[in-house]
Amino acid sequence: MADMDNKDQAEMDPADLEDVEDVEEEETGEDENSKARQLTVQMMQNPQILAALQERLDGLNGSPSGYMESLPKVVKRRVNALKNLQVKCSHIEAKFYEEVHELERKYAALYQPLFDKRSEIVTAAYEPTDEECEWKADEEEELTVSKQDEMKDKAKLEEEKKDEEKENPKGIPEFWLTVFKNVDLLSDMLQEHDEPVLKHLQDIKVKFSDPGQPMSFTLEFLFEPNEFFTNTVLSKTYKMRSEPDENDPFSFDGPEIMSCTGCTIDWTKGKNITLKTIKKKQKHKGRGTVRTVTKTVPNDSFFNFFTPPEVPENGELDEDSEVILAADFEIGHFIRERIIPRAVLYFTGEAIEDDDDDYDEEGEEADDEEGEEEADEENDPDYDPKKDATPPAECRQQ
């Protein structure tokens, strides 16, 4: 197959796939892994093969194997007994998650003093001691004593120079804004006009429902006094449920967010960035005169996060609202589970690298293959890197 040209590949009948595999075995004589890899490449390059495989997979998707239907009636009865046991397991699992929620509430109280200290440092309410600021680098990052001294002297000179140019900043300026900008899930919500407002965000807290109350958590965004709104706290509450659905008990997979409610933002006159004013020209049908009409319409903004669509009592939503709420639930859960506990790591970017590591396994494999190809090219005596050099960015944009 490696000797096939693109024309031959395009004309290949999907039904000939098995023949291609046989030819490959005879011609190459390579091991099974190598043949499988080459076959995968062949399939990816041939849209006819992909279409044929997809059609076959679509036919299999969701179709029962027929095995259950073939079982004797007495065995089916026993399987039903197992399913009833599984429903009981789901109810026990629901209780488990309720107790997990109680543990979260308990440990939230232990975390809170540390988060309060973090907020005091960010807002310059507390200046950490030299001992608190000392950070031991990893062994891989450790430098020689002389190099460390050299860098300390250089850093000291730079700090003195900065102090001459401007006043020493207080706390950690734009801490939460930087966190938001570093996280794709949140930065996608940010608009340029949101940034001046979020510079006043001082802290984000999570509060769990009281013992004995339905499961829920509230996100609180604490702001310093600012010119945009009079609120000092913007809040959003997510109501949760940890119980199997009576109509579909096997779908239970832990607590799920059922609805959320935001808060009213008391915008200062003329500062509401969730609205924008547009002007439209209207022509009178009879007289032909033209007038300009001013309209106020919704504007894209992170602060729309605090006015989510309402979930009706019957739980039925239109498609757009479902999409918005699904994204909203994901964001709320991410802020609670990741952003609040690890804010400094998202500020520095270290948590972002950890998140990327969770999804880069396939990419790393691809990079390894590309690296092997590059190495082969470099070992080729006729290889000229200038011929394959990537053109400058300005050329690629033309």
Side-chain angles (χ1 to χ4, degrees):
M1 283 188 289
D3 296 332
M4 283 187 173
D5 57 22
N6 293 335
K7 182 178 179 181
D8 293 336
Q9 294 173 8
E11 295 176 352
M12 181 180 296
D13 191 298
D16 294 334
L17 178 58
E18 295 179 1
D19 296 338
V20 172
E21 292 178 323
D22 293 336
V23 172
E24 179 66 23
E25 291 178 4
E26 295 173 6
E27 291 182 354
T28 64
E30 296 179 356
D31 58 51
E32 293 297 326
N33 291 337
S34 176
K35 287 183 288 186
R37 192 160 49 245
Q38 290 183 1
L39 180 59
T40 301
V41 172
Q42 175 71 43
M43 291 165 56
M44 293 301 293
Q45 291 177 344
N46 195 317
Q48 292 181 338
I49 293 178
L50 287 176
L53 288 175
Q54 186 61 51
E55 184 177 354
R56 181 172 296 182
L57 289 173
D58 290 342
L60 293 174
N61 186 30
S63 60
S65 64
Y67 175 70
M68 281 297 299
E69 287 74 10
S70 68
L71 292 175
K73 188 174 181 179
V74 65
V75 176
K76 290 181 181 179
R77 290 179 67 256
R78 295 167 189 151
V79 171
N80 288 338
L82 295 184
K83 292 171 73 173
N84 286 326
L85 291 176
Q86 188 62 47
V87 171
K88 292 180 180 179
C89 286
S90 296
H91 285 282
I92 293 175
E93 185 181 5
K95 294 296 182 184
F96 164 78
Y97 282 114
E98 287 179 4
E99 293 196 22
V100 168
H101 189 70
E102 294 295 327
L103 278 175
E104 287 182 315
R105 182 188 296 109
K106 172 185 174 181
Y107 279 89
L110 300 178
Y111 286 129
Q112 197 54 53
L114 302 178
F115 295 157
D116 289 342
K117 190 72 166 288
R118 176 179 70 188
S119 178
E120 290 175 355
I121 294 173
V122 168
T123 60
Y126 172 78
E127 182 62 34
T129 65
D130 290 341
E131 183 179 356
E132 290 174 318
C133 293
E134 188 174 344
W135 178 257
K136 189 178 185 304
D138 295 335
E139 291 183 4
E140 297 179 358
E141 299 174 356
E142 289 184 355
L143 305 171
T144 61
V145 175
S146 59
K147 186 70 174 176
Q148 288 178 346
D149 291 341
E150 179 184 338
M151 291 186 67
K152 285 181 180 178
D153 292 340
K154 185 177 180 181
K156 187 176 180 180
L157 290 173
E158 289 179 354
E159 287 181 4
E160 290 176 354
K161 185 178 180 181
K162 288 180 180 179
D163 288 342
E164 292 176 0
E165 294 175 353
K166 62 179 181 180
E167 295 182 4
N168 188 33
K170 296 180 179 180
I172 304 179
E174 302 181 12
F175 177 83
W176 288 102
L177 173 59
T178 303
V179 170
F180 277 43
K181 293 171 76 171
N182 281 346
V183 179
D184 289 342
L185 190 64
L186 301 178
S187 65
D188 289 344
M189 302 168 63
L190 291 185
Q191 308 297 323
E192 187 175 349
H193 48 258
D194 289 323
E195 296 189 16
V197 189
L198 287 172
K199 288 180 180 180
H200 298 284
L201 179 58
Q202 294 185 308
D203 199 8
I204 305 177
K205 295 182 178 182
V206 59
K207 290 188 176 180
F208 294 92
S209 54
D210 294 330
Q213 297 297 315
M215 290 177 62
S216 69
F217 67 91
T218 299
L219 299 176
E220 294 186 345
F221 295 71
L222 282 63
F223 286 83
E224 65 182 352
N226 60 80
E227 61 182 300
F228 298 96
F229 46 70
T230 58
N231 309 67
T232 56
V233 178
L234 300 182
S235 62
K236 189 166 185 180
T237 300
Y238 291 85
K239 295 181 181 179
M240 305 168 66
R241 181 180 69 177
S242 181
E243 59 183 56
D245 187 334
E246 292 182 2
N247 297 323
D248 188 15
F250 301 135
S251 66
F252 180 74
D253 191 27
E256 57 180 333
I257 297 174
M258 301 304 297
S259 64
C260 58
T261 54
C263 67
T264 300
I265 303 178
D266 299 321
W267 295 99
T268 304
K269 187 176 181 180
K271 296 292 185 178
N272 188 347
I273 57 176
T274 65
L275 299 174
K276 63 181 178 181
T277 301
I278 61 172
K279 294 181 178 181
K280 294 183 67 176
K281 291 185 177 180
Q282 294 180 341
K283 187 176 182 179
H284 194 280
K285 293 181 179 180
R287 296 190 296 271
T289 56
V290 177
R291 68 174 182 176
T292 300
V293 178
T294 302
K295 289 184 63 178
T296 300
V297 297
N299 192 25
D300 290 337
S301 169
F302 164 77
F303 290 89
N304 291 325
F305 177 71
F306 296 98
T307 54
E310 293 185 8
V311 178
E313 293 183 3
N314 60 11
E316 295 181 3
L317 292 166
D318 59 62
E319 189 173 343
D320 290 342
S321 295
E322 283 186 355
V323 171
I324 293 172
L325 280 178
D328 190 294
F329 293 171
E330 180 183 1
I331 293 164
H333 185 74
F334 190 80
I335 292 175
R336 166 198 161 186
E337 289 284 325
R338 306 297 292 271
I339 299 296
I340 293 176
R342 305 179 181 184
V344 65
L345 301 182
Y346 284 99
F347 177 82
T348 62
E350 293 165 85
I352 300 166
E353 295 172 3
D354 292 341
D355 289 346
D356 290 343
D357 290 342
D358 295 338
Y359 300 97
D360 278 350
E361 292 182 3
E362 295 182 3
E364 287 173 0
E365 292 176 3
D367 291 342
D368 290 342
E369 292 178 5
E370 291 176 3
E372 291 174 4
E373 293 177 1
E374 291 175 1
D376 292 340
E377 291 173 341
E378 291 173 359
N379 293 332
D380 186 350
D382 298 326
Y383 172 64
D384 184 359
K386 294 181 180 179
K387 293 181 180 179
D388 293 336
T390 303
E394 57 267 27
C395 296
R396 296 198 302 269
Q397 294 172 354
Q398 292 179 353

